[in-house]
Amino acid sequence: VSNSTNIMLEGFSGPTIKDSSILLGKDGGIMVTRGAKGTIRECLVQNNKPYGIAIGDGANPVVFLNRVFDNSPYGVLVMAEGVGHIYANKIRRCQLAPIVLAASARTVVADNQIDPTNNGVHCCWADEEQRVRPVELVQLQRLAIGDAVPEQRTVRQRLSDHPDKSIEVLIEEAKTARAVREALVLAETEGEEPLLVEAGVAGGAQKPP
């Protein structure tokens, strides 16, 4: 219980917060910011204001198997440039929105059990002008694809660009992006220039004839 933020992770910190009760924070439950990583798992995050868990400024935590209940007005808040993998949490009884994502966030949101607010909101995102828009359940699938990495497309891009693309196509694109990243990491480790055979991939050699 705290008169400010209960837990603050920032900089190069990367601890694991597990099986803890984060209660009654008057300036938030858990804040992860300034590039911090870490894991938040199997915690009860309850009755905090104005959010249960917040992520911002390049932070990239793993947030899973938590109970995020009765936080007001937001359950999980991802601010500008936040990343993070938010999955398999139970998020309930939030005043305005269970999950709020900034347009520039690169968060992956998957397999959460979300109780909507009285207005039927499960998740919403805020554009650069701070206009808040609901994320429909079918759109929420687009935010579950791919990896929580700085190279991930932003929330705005995944929700607004190419709305006609099927989920299957987006999954295949995510697999390709992962393979490219893995090839680059392997090449860097071995001190070699990567050979990327996917057409149109910048920074690597084209497929030989």
Side-chain angles (χ1 to χ4, degrees), residues 41-121:
R41 59 174 296 178
E42 298 172 73
C43 294
L44 172 63
V45 184
Q46 188 170 25
N47 286 319
N48 299 281
K49 297 181 179 182
Y51 56 80
I53 300 171
I55 302 168
D57 195 15
N60 192 6
V62 176
V63 180
F64 73 108
L65 294 177
N66 300 286
R67 292 169 293 152
V68 184
F69 297 164
D70 303 297
N71 298 281
S72 176
Y74 310 122
V76 178
L77 173 64
V78 184
M79 299 173 289
E81 305 301 329
V83 191
H85 192 179
I86 302 169
Y87 70 99
N89 301 283
K90 295 179 180 178
I91 307 175
R92 296 176 177 168
R93 299 186 298 274
C94 300
Q95 183 182 20
L96 293 183
I99 299 176
V100 180
L101 307 170
S104 63
R106 300 178 186 274
T107 312
V108 173
V109 180
D111 298 325
N112 298 285
Q113 297 180 34
I114 303 173
D115 284 0
T117 63
N118 291 335
N119 293 329
V121 173

Side-chain angles (χ1 to χ4, degrees), residues 13-14 41-42 50 56 61 70 78-79 100-101 124-125 127 135 139 162 198:
S13 61
R41 59 174 296 178
E42 298 172 73
D70 303 297
V78 184
M79 299 173 289
V100 180
L101 307 170
C124 57
W125 69 283
D127 65 19
V135 178
Q139 292 178 304
H162 308 295
E198 295 293 337

